[in-house]
Amino acid sequence: MLVNSNEILKKAKKNKFAIPQFNINNLEWTKYILEECNKKNMPVILGVSEGAAKYMGGYKVVYNMVVGLIEDLNIKIDVVLHLDHGSSYDVCIKAINAGFTSVMIDASKKQLEENISITKKVVDYAKQFNVSVEAEIGHIGGTEDGVSGTNFNARLDECIRLVQETNVDSLAPALGSVHGLYKGEPNLDFKTMKEINENISQPLVLHGGTGIPDYQIKEAISCGISKININTELQISWSKEVRNFIENNKEVYDPRKIIGSGENKIKETISTKIEEFLNK
Ligand code: 13P
């Protein structure tokens, strides 16, 4: 069933595990993610970047595709359709109006006052439609979907102000994680993460999940992380496999066979991530 992220994140926070956000790019990926998460009985957040929505044809296309897959594949788990890094109020409204059940407003490049005012505007609109809202504070570095940023870490006092003044549902504080690949071991600020968690009741979100070792994932969950975003890792596992398939099957031109050759690998990666996030 399509739901907002509030109940599943609350449950994850209470029971000390993390809900995965896997980013989608096309029909096949969406199908693989839904099938594997359904098999593992794990609720899932389907992350859709602005670039991915545009690539797939638009927010309505994505909404209808996801609703259709849930029905036709008989998916029983809770599924959240979430705009990842919405860059403006207008983009968030577009996604909400198309049927998305959750949005992230990323005004993290703005000054705190402006971040608060844009986030609040989105929250006020979203609440009318029972849509959950995630905000970012500090700024997560690295590159995603061709958009690059320099990391600067979130401050506790700013996190407290942002959640108190906007009533946002979940918070992604930048604490050293980056989008894309890490140079060396990730250097996450667990101390501040723990302090933020002790001072706000909203579930915390960890972006840049690719390349964070299992022991750091566990520590992050123990410091209040209830949602972890994975994009690059799926891209790498799928593209490696497809590249291999094309090189070894030069006579094959059926797109279903080519795209589908990455299915098992992508599902394997999803399954491994779910096991890690269950934090047992
Ligand atoms: P990675 O691409 O590093 O896995 O990060 C994904 C993400 O944070 C999406 O918002």
Side-chain angles (χ1 to χ4, degrees):
M1 196 174 54
L2 210 50
V3 296
N4 70 27
S5 62
N6 288 339
E7 288 312 311
I8 59 171
L9 290 185
K10 265 185 214 150
K11 191 170 163 204
K13 185 175 160 88
K14 184 163 168 253
N15 295 293
K16 293 229 170 284
F17 69 95
I19 302 283
Q21 173 184 311
F22 294 118
N23 282 53
I24 61 170
N25 290 287
N26 55 22
L27 173 101
E28 290 83 353
W29 283 44
T30 313
K31 179 169 175 272
Y32 305 155
I33 293 166
L34 289 175
E35 283 175 342
E36 192 59 25
C37 291
N38 195 54
K39 189 171 144 198
K40 311 270 300 181
N41 199 23
M42 178 63 140
V44 68
I45 298 172
L46 301 174
V48 184
S49 68
E50 288 181 30
K54 193 169 169 212
Y55 173 82
M56 288 183 269
Y59 295 98
K60 263 277 167 213
V61 177
V62 177
Y63 170 78
N64 284 307
M65 172 182 78
V66 169
V67 168
L69 284 171
I70 291 173
E71 192 181 328
D72 283 351
L73 299 173
N74 200 19
I75 299 295
K76 297 291 182 211
I77 48 165
D78 284 337
V79 178
V80 178
L81 180 57
H82 176 75
L83 172 68
D84 192 23
H85 292 282
S87 63
S88 67
Y89 172 79
D90 288 349
V91 171
C92 291
I93 298 322
K94 212 169 176 181
I96 293 169
N97 289 347
F100 277 48
T101 55
S102 182
V103 293
M104 174 187 191
I105 171 69
D106 179 359
S108 64
K109 280 189 186 145
K110 315 263 188 217
Q111 294 296 314
L112 180 65
E113 299 300 330
E114 211 181 332
N115 189 349
I116 289 174
S117 116
I118 298 171
T119 302
K120 183 164 182 349
K121 228 172 123 190
V122 173
V123 170
D124 288 346
Y125 187 84
K127 293 269 184 253
Q128 302 172 67
F129 303 94
N130 198 24
V131 167
S132 47
V133 181
E134 174 184 327
E136 176 171 326
I137 190 151
H139 190 66
I140 295 154
T143 303
E144 181 169 57
D145 226 353
V147 182
S148 298
T150 312
N151 181 74
F152 61 90
N153 280 9
R155 281 181 17 204
L156 175 62
D157 58 326
E158 295 189 339
C159 292
I160 294 173
R161 269 200 65 195
L162 183 84
V163 297
Q164 279 180 351
E165 292 178 34
T166 64
N167 204 19
V168 75
D169 299 295
S170 61
L171 184 68
L175 292 167
S177 66
V178 298
H179 292 123
L181 297 174
Y182 288 85
K183 296 185 183 92
E185 182 106 327
N187 181 20
L188 304 184
D189 180 355
F190 292 113
K191 186 173 165 280
T192 308
M193 201 182 277
K194 194 161 178 275
E195 280 168 6
I196 296 169
N197 186 43
E198 283 162 359
N199 282 278
I200 69 167
S201 58
Q202 281 82 347
L204 301 181
V205 179
L206 179 62
H207 281 247
T210 296
I212 299 181
D214 191 25
Y215 78 94
Q216 288 196 5
I217 293 284
K218 288 195 161 51
E219 185 155 5
I221 293 172
S222 78
C223 293
I225 293 292
S226 309
K227 167 178 181 267
I228 302 177
N229 293 4
I230 301 281
N231 186 14
T232 307
E233 201 157 338
L234 294 191
Q235 297 187 347
I236 292 175
S237 57
W238 178 83
S239 59
K240 255 192 195 158
E241 204 60 18
V242 171
R243 198 169 292 120
N244 243 337
F245 177 84
I246 293 173
E247 275 165 14
N248 292 311
N249 296 276
K250 295 218 161 63
E251 74 293 351
V252 176
Y253 48 80
D254 181 342
R256 288 172 295 187
K257 289 198 175 130
I258 295 173
I259 297 171
S261 65
E263 175 174 352
N264 289 345
K265 210 61 198 172
I266 220 175
K267 284 185 168 172
E268 235 174 67
T269 307
I270 291 166
S271 166
T272 309
K273 289 291 131 192
I274 291 175
E275 291 303 325
E276 275 180 31
F277 295 178
L278 281 172
N279 190 28
K280 290 207 167 123

